[in-house]
Structures are given as structure tokens and as C-alpha cells.
């Protein structure tokens, strides 16, 4: 799970020319959910966002207070493009959680935020909609958060992923034909024995 957290003076979300949500001073959070995310990653991100110290205290000391300390608002916007992987110059989003699953996960994220803080201070956009997000960044302060790497439950893996894992295990346990050949002593009279044999094999593997 990835999040871009911005300290804002104000922020709002507009859909189809109509403003559907807005906040004053606080945090605007763009959230990208990956297909490997679980409840563990969700809870980690909720804690990080609410406890991130990006505000000043009463004496003006910077980086001292969280959004909860200051009783400010939080505006969350689902942002699957944060899970993009570039293939050349073309964005690829296969690591983003599929829409139906992601919507339920995102709503759970909002629910956990509201339980941990004050429900009336958590605002959001419209999941899956084409939105215009207006952000008045204060500072500017922009922080990127990423949850620890997920430990995927084997039961949740697809059939193809399981097959790929088995292939990888076989490769690590069983030496390849070329490695077995290298381990077999060659007879000096063997015409195939040459100092360049291994080099020929390795060169064939180059892309």
C-alpha cells in the first residue's frame, strides 16, 4: 500500500463540476492499494497517517504535532495510479488491486480511520469516479508512505502464481543440465571438451 500525504491549508474534490467534499487545514491523502495488501498493511497505514508529525506545536516548533493532536481534518482520495509500474514510457497497473475488491478494501480503510480518530473529520472523494482534486499544499510538505512488504497467504495465490513458485523451488533445488555437465570431469580424449564450452553456454543465455 502506498500513500502520498500532503499537508494542506485546504483541499476539495469535485466530480462532474460539483464539489462533493472539502476540508480546511489538515492532510490530503492519495491512497494506492496493491493486490497483495491485507488488513495488516491497512492498519499500518492508518497508524502512520494519523500519527505523522507534520504540524507545529503551540510554541511554533515544527514537526511536533500530528493531525490528531491538532484536531485537523483528513481528506482521502483513492489513487490506483500510485501502483503503476512503467514499461518504457507506458504505465502498467497490474499490481493495483482489482476494482471490486479495492472498493471494499478502501471503504474498510476509511472505517478504520474514523474509528481511530473522529468520524466527522475524515472526508473522502468518490471511489472509481473521474475526480478533480484541488490541493493547496501548505509548505509545501509532501511525504510518501509505503507499508511493509506484504506476506502473502499461499491460499490467496492464484493457480498460476502457485505454479510459478513451484518452478522457482525446483530451479533452486535441482541443478541445471549445464551445471551438472560442468561438475562431471571431462576426458581429455573427449572432442567436446574445450575451455570455451562453458562460455558458449552462458553466452547463449544472454538476452
Amino acid at each position: 500500500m502506498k500513500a502520498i500525504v500532503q499537508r494542506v491549508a485546504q483541499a476539495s474534490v469535485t466530480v462532474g463540476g460539483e464539489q462533493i467534499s472539502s476540508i480546511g487545514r489538515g492532510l490530503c491523502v492519495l491512497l494506492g492499494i496493491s493486490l497483495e495488501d491485507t488488513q495488516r498493511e491497512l492498519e499500518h497505514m492508518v497508524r502512520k497517517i494519523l500519527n505523522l508529525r507534520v504540524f507545529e506545536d503551540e510554541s511554533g516548533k515544527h514537526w511536533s504535532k500530528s493531525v490528531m493532536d491538532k484536531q485537523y481534518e483528513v481528506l482521502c482520495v483513492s489513487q490506483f495510479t500510485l501502483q503503476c509500474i512503467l514499461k518504457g514510457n507506458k504505465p502498467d497497473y497490474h499490481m493495483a488491486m482489482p476494482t471490486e475488491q479495492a472498493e471494499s478494501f478502501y471503504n474498510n480503510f476509511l472505517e478504520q480511520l474514523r474509528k481511530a480518530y473522529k468520524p466527522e473529520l475524515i472526508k473522502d472523494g468518490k471511489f472509481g469516479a473521474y475526480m478533480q482534486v484541488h490541493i493547496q499544499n501548505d509548505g509545501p510538505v509532501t511525504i510518501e508512505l509505503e507499508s511493509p512488504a506484504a506476506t502473502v497467504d499461499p491460499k490467496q495465490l492464484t493457480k498460476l502464481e502457485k505454479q510459478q513458485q513451484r518452478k522457482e523451488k525446483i530451479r533452486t533445488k535441482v541443478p541445471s543440465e549445464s551445471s551438472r555437465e560442468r561438475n562431471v570431469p571431462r576426458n581429455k580424449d573427449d572432442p567436446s571438451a574445450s575451455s570455451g564450452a562453458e562460455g558458449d553456454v552462458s553466452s547463449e543465455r544472454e538476452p
Side-chain angles (χ1 to χ4, degrees):
M1 187 181 295
K2 296 180 180 179
I4 300 298
V5 181
Q6 299 184 66
R7 188 179 72 186
V8 299
Q10 59 183 18
S12 63
V13 176
T14 300
V15 176
E18 178 184 355
Q19 185 180 100
I20 63 169
S21 191
S22 66
I23 64 170
R25 197 163 189 217
L27 298 177
C28 181
V29 179
L30 306 179
L31 188 75
I33 305 168
S34 88
L35 54 81
E36 295 183 343
D37 285 331
T38 67
Q39 186 70 20
R40 176 174 171 267
E41 286 72 49
L42 185 154
E43 292 172 356
H44 171 89
M45 193 62 74
V46 167
R47 288 194 302 271
K48 280 293 185 183
I49 290 168
L50 293 179
N51 291 287
L52 192 62
R53 294 188 298 176
V54 294
F55 298 99
E56 70 280 354
D57 63 14
E58 293 72 15
S59 65
K61 183 180 178 181
H62 296 291
W63 320 113
S64 299
K65 297 293 183 180
S66 69
V67 70
M68 290 198 299
D69 293 330
K70 302 294 285 187
Q71 296 293 290
Y72 290 154
E73 297 173 290
V74 179
L75 174 62
C76 296
V77 179
S78 177
Q79 179 79 98
F80 76 92
T81 59
L82 285 176
Q83 293 294 340
C84 123
I85 296 174
L86 285 180
K87 292 187 175 180
N89 292 321
K90 182 180 179 181
D92 180 280
Y93 302 110
H94 75 273
M95 286 303 297
M97 186 177 285
T99 303
E100 291 184 4
Q101 184 182 354
E103 183 171 12
S104 174
F105 195 95
Y106 177 69
N107 288 334
N108 187 19
F109 170 79
L110 292 174
E111 183 181 348
Q112 295 303 314
L113 272 178
R114 289 172 175 138
K115 283 183 178 179
Y117 190 25
K118 293 185 175 180
E120 67 275 13
L121 297 182
I122 304 295
K123 309 292 180 62
D124 71 297
K126 185 176 182 180
F127 186 91
Y130 190 90
M131 297 175 277
Q132 286 75 48
V133 183
H134 305 273
I135 301 169
Q136 187 176 332
N137 197 318
D138 180 29
V141 173
T142 302
I143 294 177
E144 182 177 358
L145 298 178
E146 187 168 356
S147 62
T151 302
V152 183
D153 185 347
K155 294 180 181 179
Q156 296 176 341
L157 293 174
T158 65
K159 184 177 179 181
L160 288 176
E161 287 171 328
K162 288 180 180 179
Q163 290 174 349
Q164 185 62 30
Q165 281 192 345
R166 285 196 292 269
K167 288 178 182 179
E168 292 298 328
K169 288 180 181 179
I170 291 171
R171 286 174 188 161
T172 57
K173 290 180 179 179
V174 180
S176 64
E177 287 297 325
S178 59
S179 63
R180 284 201 294 266
E181 289 173 2
R182 286 197 294 268
N183 292 331
V184 175
R186 291 184 180 273
N187 191 313
K188 292 181 179 179
D189 297 328
D190 184 356
S192 67
S194 69
S195 60
E198 291 83 354
D200 293 340
V201 172
S202 63
S203 64
E204 290 173 0
R205 294 180 181 174
E206 292 297 324

